[in-house]
Amino acid sequence: MTGGSDRTGARPPAPISDYGLLGDTRTSALVAGDGAIDWLCVPRFDGEPLFGRLVGGPDAGTFRVGPARPAPVVERRYRRHTATLETTWAVGDGRLTLTEAMVAEVRGRLLPTTLIVRRLSAEDATVEAAVEFDPRLGVRHRRPRVHRRRRALVCQWGSLAVSLGSTADLTVEPGRPTPLTVGPGRPVTLVLAVAYREPLVHVEPGAAWDLLVEDEERWRIWTAGIDEELPFREHVVRSLLTMRLLTYSPSRAPVAAPTTSLPENPGGVRNWDYRYVWPRDASIGVSAFLSVGKPDEARGFLAWLLHASRLQRPRLPALLTLYGRYVPRERELPGWPGYLGSVPVRVGNGAAGQHQLDGYGWVIDAAWAFAQAGHLLHSETWRAVRGFADVVAGCWQEPDAGIWEVREPAQHVHSKLMGWLALDRALRIADTHPLSGRQRRRWQQARDAVAAEVRTLGFDPAAGSYVRSYGSADLDAALLVLPLLEMDPDDSPRVRGTVDAIRDRLSAGGPLLYRYPPGVDGFRGGEGAFLPCSFWLVQALARTGRRAEAVELFQSMLDHASPLGLYAEELDPATGAHLGNYPQTLTHAALVQAALAIRDAPTG
């Protein structure tokens, strides 16, 4: 990693795993090891990119703060149990440290909705640094109208405005490097404020730094409530913090990832927009938060889902916007070069119209976990859950796109299993919530029919394993959730045989797994190992009495984290490079659940 690198576009972007996450629970920024914010959408996760160099190339804008010339990174870390990132470079005889964060708590005060604080400090010697501020808004990389107000630079595009202020006497010109000198004991603080359809509030750099320090303390208080006895607690805490940063606080809905079109196959076409909410992925996160004693996150998501699903209820959409609306149609951005030449760059997502049966199972299971923790579902929430269960009882025999969102519907075994889970957990909730006898009988009959059909058509006796779809010999790593469902006993030959077959036949080397046999999904090119599957394997091993193997596998997966403890969606088994959108909420939720499974597994 180096700082002060050439921003002309001659160099390729940093490796995905080189990026750190800054977040305020409304949007987030990705920061490379050279101090460059190469991705920031405003005013929300799914808004227009203000700095988009990550997939838009040098014309899409960046905001770099760091050494004036290339310098090695000697340390990079998050401050313990906070969202504050520190990067330190060795520069000549001195050291230069960039400390930065976004301020999450802005309610009740006259503050901009988005506030990024970046402070440079020097040790041992005076250091030459630079600021490169080049905001370019949206698909067309629009340059701003620029004017100055007091000591701040103001950039404006219609109803959007940003200001850049500093403790130093800097004259920043957008698109041009601005040199500055940082001496020991004389830090330089920069503040970026964003306003959209509201007054642009200027925050003095000293006051902004105090806000960052206050935010750090709030994060420490939040993490202090996480079970102290959790195995791998520090890794779990970092994952939970990441998941919380990726949860849109105005609606309490978590995005799948803050990025679009980071490739699953560099140079290929597997580039998707993940800046939306998948009820499936969100429900897995809800269960993780509940299991570590964070019911507010679960309550907030269920309230959002109740609102968000109204337009299409009782059908459960595969994905929604942050406010529960229809996801924009999928389209390609012409002229965007993509990450490492991976085109097309897409916004919107075509999976929004798919029928995905498994989502019902994840959502109702999350509602069951909430009820099991002693929280009664509100009557309207229970009414929505009943509607979801009715849909499953009526449509479980239909083919669907499955968890992997393939373009040709099939009779996916994992989807059927999750349909069974939806009905089973709805019946369990009904033990403490009102339900008519007619509905109960309908759900029971459908649940039993699903189990009977899957055991017959979804199982390959020769392989001793459940398979990907009816009539197929292929495997599906999503079937690793089988021990969690309790449809078959954890120690049954069918469950153990499925876990062992997936571990063997879908192995990508070491702890890594492909989600299904590569090259069978209708898209050109290959893809990497799917990281959530490895954590699902940890869960499965722990649940089937193989705790020691689960611990060993979990420890191996920690070696594949980014240097900052973050995970993308996939990993290249050959190079170890992170692939796909980043950081990925589902991967971090699966990590948390894997650690919980190890905690709850017998030690004998």
Side-chain angles (χ1 to χ4, degrees):
M1 269 184 239
T2 60
S5 48
D6 177 14
R7 309 301 296 177
T8 66
R11 71 157 176 83
I16 291 172
S17 61
D18 188 46
Y19 285 92
L21 175 75
L22 307 181
D24 62 5
T25 74
R26 291 171 296 279
T27 188
S28 59
L30 292 188
V31 189
D34 64 357
I37 293 179
D38 284 339
W39 186 256
L40 171 67
C41 292
V42 292
R44 303 180 305 271
F45 293 106
D46 59 354
E48 291 193 289
L50 181 68
F51 307 117
R53 185 186 185 279
L54 184 65
V55 293
D59 291 340
T62 189
F63 177 22
R64 192 183 77 82
V65 177
R69 288 171 293 278
V73 173
V74 294
E75 185 179 21
R76 199 162 189 233
R77 67 184 182 98
Y78 284 105
R79 288 186 177 182
R80 189 169 186 267
H81 296 176
T82 76
T84 302
L85 179 61
E86 288 185 339
T87 305
T88 300
W89 299 272
V91 185
D93 296 328
R95 290 195 174 200
L96 181 69
T97 296
L98 172 62
T99 305
E100 54 189 335
M102 298 174 72
V103 176
E105 186 53 74
V106 297
R107 291 176 300 178
R109 292 180 284 187
L110 186 60
L111 293 173
T113 302
T114 298
L115 189 66
I116 302 177
V117 186
R118 315 186 81 188
R119 171 173 281 189
L120 286 171
S121 56
E123 295 180 31
D124 302 327
T126 297
V127 174
E128 297 304 315
V131 175
E132 300 175 49
F133 182 67
D134 189 17
R136 307 282 194 92
L137 185 67
V139 172
R140 300 184 185 278
H141 315 319
R142 289 183 287 144
R143 296 178 184 272
R145 290 192 294 110
V146 177
H147 63 277
R148 301 188 185 278
R149 187 181 303 174
R150 300 183 200 172
R151 298 176 63 183
L153 171 72
V154 177
C155 299
Q156 191 167 3
W157 304 260
S159 56
L160 177 78
V162 302
S163 69
L164 179 66
S166 170
T167 54
D169 187 15
L170 298 178
T171 303
V172 175
E173 296 290 342
R176 296 182 180 178
T178 301
L180 71 152
T181 300
V182 185
R186 301 192 306 276
V188 176
T189 303
L190 296 104
V191 182
L192 180 71
V194 181
Y196 179 67
R197 295 183 177 177
E198 61 186 8
L200 179 60
V201 178
H202 297 272
V203 181
E204 290 298 319
W209 180 258
D210 291 340
L211 290 169
L212 181 150
V213 172
E214 289 176 19
D215 240 29
E216 285 187 331
E217 185 56 27
R218 275 187 285 269
W219 285 122
R220 290 190 183 101
I221 292 170
W222 186 83
T223 57
I226 298 169
D227 183 3
E228 290 284 348
E229 303 303 317
L230 272 174
F232 308 103
R233 185 176 186 271
E234 291 304 304
H235 303 281
V236 171
V237 167
R238 179 51 53 194
S239 285
L240 289 166
L241 268 169
T242 301
M243 293 161 60
R244 186 66 186 85
L245 288 173
L246 296 178
T247 299
Y248 184 60
S249 56
S251 67
R252 309 301 290 273
V255 293
T259 55
T260 180
S261 302
L262 288 179
E264 299 169 13
N265 178 35
V269 300
R270 299 169 185 266
N271 319 313
W272 314 107
D273 190 352
Y274 276 18
R275 299 171 300 153
Y276 306 109
V277 186
W278 272 254
R280 169 208 306 121
D281 298 13
S283 297
I284 296 171
V286 161
S287 297
F289 279 123
L290 273 172
S291 298
V292 298
K294 295 292 180 185
D296 287 347
E297 283 69 21
R299 187 178 292 109
F301 167 71
L302 290 174
W304 171 85
L305 184 66
L306 181 67
H307 165 77
S309 62
R310 286 181 187 274
L311 290 176
Q312 302 181 56
R313 200 183 299 167
R315 177 181 173 270
L316 178 67
L319 62 152
L320 293 156
T321 69
L322 298 168
Y323 281 110
R325 297 172 185 152
Y326 293 102
V327 170
R329 66 177 180 81
E330 186 174 295
R331 61 191 179 96
E332 300 176 3
L333 301 185
W336 281 55
Y339 180 86
L340 295 180
S342 305
V343 292
V345 173
R346 295 182 172 97
V347 294
N349 197 299
Q354 291 182 345
H355 168 48
Q356 298 177 16
L357 182 65
D358 71 290
Y360 294 88
W362 293 113
V363 167
I364 297 179
D365 187 56
W368 155 242
F370 189 72
Q372 191 180 34
H375 310 285
L376 282 176
L377 301 180
H378 293 302
S379 59
E380 183 64 20
T381 305
W382 176 224
R383 185 178 298 114
V385 170
R386 294 201 308 267
F388 295 152
D390 283 339
V391 169
V392 173
C395 78
W396 68 267
Q397 291 175 304
E398 299 173 9
D400 80 327
I403 187 172
W404 307 127
E405 301 179 344
V406 297
R407 300 298 163 117
E408 291 296 328
Q411 299 285 5
H412 293 104
V413 174
H414 172 261
S415 296
K416 307 298 185 188
L417 290 171
M418 297 307 292
W420 181 93
L421 181 71
L423 296 164
D424 182 77
R425 297 313 190 250
L427 286 164
R428 296 189 189 195
I429 297 172
D431 289 340
T432 54
H433 293 69
L435 183 71
S436 70
R438 181 187 59 81
Q439 267 185 310
R440 183 184 295 272
R441 288 189 295 273
R442 183 169 183 250
W443 294 355
Q444 287 173 334
Q445 291 168 0
R447 180 191 61 180
D448 294 345
V450 174
E453 182 175 290
V454 169
R455 288 184 178 123
T456 302
L457 301 180
F459 187 79
D460 181 354
S465 169
Y466 285 100
V467 292
R468 185 180 181 193
S469 60
Y470 293 172
S472 169
D474 289 341
L475 296 178
D476 182 351
L479 295 171
L480 288 168
V481 301
L482 188 61
L484 314 179
L485 309 187
E486 301 173 4
M487 188 183 83
D488 291 330
D490 291 348
D491 59 354
S492 73
R494 285 178 173 242
V495 170
R496 285 179 170 267
T498 301
V499 172
D500 289 340
I502 290 171
R503 190 178 190 182
D504 177 46
R505 290 169 53 190
L506 294 182
S507 173
L512 303 176
L513 294 174
Y514 294 109
R515 49 185 173 170
Y516 44 69
V520 298
D521 58 6
F523 290 104
R524 297 195 314 273
E527 64 173 358
F530 199 76
L531 293 175
C533 295
S534 294
F535 290 115
W536 291 343
L537 177 57
V538 172
Q539 273 187 285
L541 292 171
R543 285 293 297 260
T544 54
R546 301 155 75 175
R547 186 179 189 276
E549 292 178 66
V551 169
E552 181 180 4
L553 186 70
F554 192 100
Q555 289 173 326
S556 296
M557 284 301 298
L558 296 181
D559 294 336
H560 291 291
S562 81
L564 292 171
L566 304 177
Y567 291 88
E569 180 181 29
E570 299 185 3
L571 199 81
D572 185 331
T575 66
H578 284 238
L579 302 173
N581 287 303
Y582 171 91
Q584 178 86 351
T585 299
L586 178 59
T587 309
H588 285 278
L591 180 152
V592 175
Q593 290 196 316
L596 292 166
I598 290 172
R599 179 195 66 183
D600 298 336
T603 57

